[in-house]
Amino acid sequence: MKLGLSQLTRKVQSATKNKSAFTIVEILLAVAIFALLVTAFSGVYLYGQEASAMAGGRTRADLLAQEGLEAVQNMRDSAFANLTDGTYGLAISGGKWILSGTQDVLDNFTRSVTISTVDANRKNVVSTVNWQQNTQRAGSVSLVTRLTNWIATVASSVSGALIIYGDGTNIPKYRTYDSATNVFSAETSALTNSVAPNFIIRTSPNKSEAIAGFYTAAGVLNVMCYNGSTWSQEWTATVGGTGAGRRFDIAYETASGDVMVLYSTNTATTNELAYRTKLGGSGCGSANWAAPANLDALRTSNIINYIRLAWDRRTGQNLIAATWVDINDDLSGAIWNGSAWTNEPSTVSDTNVEMVSISHDLEDMDIEYESLSGDVMMIWGSTVGNNANGVRYRTCNGGIASCTWSSVITPPTFNDDATTLDISANPSTDEMVFASIGANQSDLQLGYWSGSTWTNTANADTSCNTPFAGSKLVSTGWLISGATARSVITYADQNSNNIDWYVGNLGVFTKQADMVVSPLPNNPNGYYDIQMDALARDQLMFVLADASLDLFAKRLVMTATPVFTWTNSDGAPLEVTLPQNISSPFGFAFWRN
């Protein structure tokens, strides 16, 4: 059927009108859907933005709350008495955290710490941080910890000092010492190990930690760590020898509390020494020690047989001084600057260090820091002097790692040889006290260093025990009570079972009446040691090993008068089967904090 023109036109117009109407509906529908999507996505975006901001605020609040706990812990470490119950803010004064007000504000974060008592030695600490996210949202974070009076806790368990020694078995033994009661604890096993003939122990200057070392008759050095309650085996190294020397030493840096172990590698020519360190902020554990590093001694070229370390006592200092002797009787030393050994003297200090029968068979040298200046005193006995004057010394002046070494000096006021010797520094001044006994005529001589010159008392006793291989028959120390300071020297008098001793007032030494001890050591004694209490300077401990392999400890206390009082801290020998009585068969150390 054919349509007319008018009919066709009307048909097309109708279709076009319907199509236009359908497009408008689609547009309106699309616009509506788009609006819904935009609204939805805007909500999601805005919610995400707010959630992200909230999470960021939460993260910073967590950090501020954690900082609050650490700040209070830092105050506890200085003194438990700093933690007074209450709610406080935090501030920094003099480079240290302090409690201030009731809160502190950082940007839009408000922090407060609340301290409450649990018991005499424990506090609960809550660190809370609040912040306003927006007009309708607020955030809050709280972290909680419990802090203990660790100084009091450790003091009650380790009690003033530690002594460690061998008893001929495979298990080293130790005891704690209570200064308040002057009593040693029962003997306790440390760790299962090889037989140990000699020991050294040092305590940390800023926490309750001790590092002890011993090396076996097979020449293996064992290093152990004590955390205030238990011992752990840290590491071992081959140092050679049979235990008749002293092929290692231990020292803590004063400021950092980092610990240094310097030891012989039992090798000649190069890298005769090695060392390992542990950071003061780390605890016991073998993983906390740095790997072994070599120290190539430039002035000595044979196997090192004796090592002595001393630490700078000045606040803020990390210096350690070392001296060592090889089996050729060559003597040298170096300074640890906190990160490396440096400043070995440009010439060997001596090539004829004293001996008894074979090359360097006893520790006839010592090293010490002046307590105020930080100058170093290295002193030893030389065979060149024989009985005329065997003492030699050199200083390193300047109080820094790059201090200036003096030439080797023969002090004009010394008259005797010095086969066994000891030196110690007054912890409050630059004074030092020295004592020696010579093998030539068995004479005791005493020396006083003022900080610049020596004053000597020769032939203080002319009938001492004659030094023998590995022996140490003199020991020195200081006592301070108020404004009164005196040096103390103990020594092995011939055929005497009591304690023979002198007291020094500056350069004047006075023989004291023998201290009649109970029980009596069996003469001749083999090894003497005096250790001063860093926290109670009016007392010291004298420890000795006798001919019967017995171990004794005697305390000396001084008043400001001064009056001196000896007491038998042992009551009975602390041990009756030491592996030997020479070459440091025990280690004793007071706690230093």
Side-chain angles (χ1 to χ4, degrees):
M1 181 180 63
K2 294 183 179 180
L3 297 176
L5 179 59
S6 60
Q7 289 178 319
L8 180 60
T9 301
R10 286 194 300 269
K11 185 82 173 177
V12 170
Q13 288 175 344
S14 176
T16 302
K17 183 178 180 180
N18 289 340
K19 184 175 182 180
S20 299
F22 184 76
T23 301
I24 292 173
V25 171
E26 286 181 324
I27 291 172
L28 291 175
L29 180 59
V31 168
I33 292 173
F34 178 78
L36 290 174
L37 290 175
V38 168
T39 301
F41 281 120
S42 296
V44 170
Y45 175 79
L46 293 174
Y47 182 83
Q49 288 288 93
E50 186 173 355
S52 178
M54 193 69 182
R58 171 75 184 221
T59 298
R60 189 177 179 195
D62 283 336
L63 293 174
L64 291 173
Q66 182 63 39
E67 183 184 62
L69 295 182
E70 293 174 355
V72 177
Q73 181 175 333
N74 182 266
M75 286 182 267
R76 184 280 311 271
D77 289 345
S78 297
F80 191 71
N82 289 337
L83 307 190
T84 304
D85 287 5
T87 299
Y88 308 93
L90 297 171
I92 294 178
S93 177
K96 296 181 179 180
W97 285 104
I98 61 170
L99 300 172
S100 177
T102 58
Q103 63 185 28
D104 60 285
V105 178
L106 302 98
D107 297 326
N108 64 325
F109 296 85
T110 301
R111 177 174 59 194
S112 62
V113 293
T114 300
I115 303 171
S116 58
T117 297
V118 178
D119 56 37
N121 286 313
R122 292 185 295 172
K123 298 276 190 177
N124 281 338
V125 182
V126 181
S127 179
T128 301
V129 176
N130 296 309
W131 76 101
Q132 192 68 37
Q133 186 69 32
N134 52 43
T135 57
Q136 297 180 342
R137 280 183 178 273
S140 182
V141 169
S142 291
L143 300 179
V144 181
T145 192
R146 177 169 291 182
L147 300 178
T148 62
N149 185 6
W150 59 269
I151 294 178
T153 303
V154 170
S156 64
S157 61
V158 298
S159 304
L162 286 170
I163 188 169
I164 187 168
Y165 50 89
D167 64 351
T169 71
N170 286 346
I171 305 175
K173 301 298 192 297
Y174 79 101
R175 297 173 186 259
T176 60
Y177 172 72
D178 190 328
S179 297
T181 61
N182 191 29
V183 172
F184 282 89
S185 70
E187 184 176 88
T188 307
S189 298
L191 294 169
T192 301
N193 254 309
S194 302
V195 176
N198 55 12
F199 290 85
I200 297 171
I201 187 170
R202 308 288 187 221
T203 54
S204 169
N206 51 29
K207 63 179 178 179
S208 296
E209 177 186 273
I211 300 297
F214 64 87
Y215 72 93
T216 70
V220 177
L221 170 63
N222 291 257
V223 174
M224 303 184 297
C225 182
Y226 184 72
N227 65 5
S229 59
T230 58
W231 288 95
S232 60
Q233 176 72 46
E234 302 294 278
W235 49 273
T236 62
T238 299
V239 298
T242 60
R246 183 170 143 162
R247 296 191 173 196
F248 75 101
D249 205 351
I250 304 167
Y252 276 92
E253 295 177 359
T254 297
S256 69
D258 294 357
V259 64
M260 159 72 63
V261 181
L262 180 66
Y263 57 94
S264 171
T265 59
N266 197 38
T267 58
T269 307
T270 58
N271 295 332
E272 303 96 318
L273 294 161
Y275 62 93
R276 296 187 69 174
T277 59
K278 183 174 76 67
L279 297 178
S282 64
C284 297
S286 59
N288 293 327
W289 290 83
N294 289 324
L295 170 56
D296 185 17
L298 302 178
R299 314 300 166 218
T300 53
S301 59
N302 216 319
I303 295 172
I304 305 299
N305 199 44
Y306 270 93
I307 299 171
R308 293 300 303 264
L309 296 179
W311 54 92
D312 190 341
R313 297 176 185 81
R314 295 176 298 166
T315 302
Q317 296 297 319
N318 290 321
L319 302 179
I320 297 174
T323 184
W324 59 81
V325 177
D326 69 11
I327 60 176
N328 285 343
D329 295 320
D330 297 336
L331 176 76
S332 192
I335 307 295
W336 173 257
N337 64 12
S339 59
W341 285 105
T342 184
N343 199 12
E344 186 175 356
S346 59
T347 58
V348 63
S349 295
D350 205 313
T351 59
N352 296 282
V353 178
E354 277 270 18
M355 63 181 182
V356 174
S357 57
I358 61 174
S359 184
H360 206 73
D361 52 5
L362 78 171
E363 53 183 282
D364 187 37
M365 81 293 189
D366 207 348
I367 195 164
E368 186 58 281
Y369 272 95
E370 292 181 354
S371 297
L372 299 183
S373 70
D375 291 347
V376 176
M377 170 69 70
M378 182 194 298
I379 194 164
W380 65 95
S382 177
T383 59
V384 174
N386 200 3
N387 197 45
N389 185 347
V391 178
R392 301 288 184 272
Y393 77 97
R394 69 191 309 176
T395 58
C396 199
N397 301 315
I400 56 177
S402 58
C403 53
T404 302
W405 288 100
S406 71
S407 60
V408 175
I409 303 171
T410 301
T413 55
F414 284 91
N415 292 327
D416 299 317
D417 57 330
T419 309
T420 180
L421 58 81
D422 191 44
I423 190 172
S424 59
N426 184 328
S428 300
T429 70
D430 287 337
E431 299 169 290
M432 295 189 188
V433 61
F434 168 86
S436 68
I437 297 175
N440 191 300
Q441 293 184 341
S442 303
D443 295 339
L444 170 71
Q445 69 178 348
L446 309 173
Y448 165 76
W449 174 257
S450 66
S452 58
T453 58
W454 282 104
T455 302
N456 176 57
T457 299
N459 300 319
D461 193 316
T462 58
S463 59
C464 300
N465 282 342
T466 302
F468 53 94
S471 65
K472 183 170 178 284
L473 304 184
V474 291
S475 55
T476 61
W478 291 83
L479 291 171
I480 300 173
S481 180
T484 303
R486 296 290 186 270
S487 59
V488 175
I489 301 96
T490 59
Y491 67 98
D493 197 10
Q494 195 173 66
N495 301 319
S496 174
N497 295 99
N498 297 315
I499 297 177
D500 291 80
W501 59 300
Y502 270 84
V503 168
N505 182 11
L506 302 178
V508 178
F509 296 95
T510 305
K511 179 73 166 69
Q512 306 295 307
D514 290 1
M515 189 281 193
V516 180
V517 298
S518 177
L520 283 173
N522 185 5
N523 197 41
N525 300 314
Y527 200 87
Y528 281 16
D529 186 41
I530 281 178
Q531 291 294 323
M532 298 175 285
D533 191 335
L535 304 180
R537 294 181 174 180
D538 60 347
Q539 69 172 332
L540 58 78
M541 186 68 73
F542 170 51
V543 189
L544 70 140
D546 73 359
S548 298
L549 303 180
D550 297 335
L551 177 62
F552 299 91
K554 314 295 178 181
R555 182 173 73 169
L556 179 61
V557 177
M558 182 188 76
T559 66
T561 309
V563 173
F564 299 90
T565 304
W566 284 99
T567 53
N568 297 300
S569 303
D570 39 30
L574 298 176
E575 179 55 56
V576 296
T577 56
L578 291 173
Q580 61 185 21
N581 70 343
I582 58 172
S583 302
S584 190
F586 57 82
F588 179 92
F590 283 101
W591 291 106
R592 296 167 59 189
N593 61 75

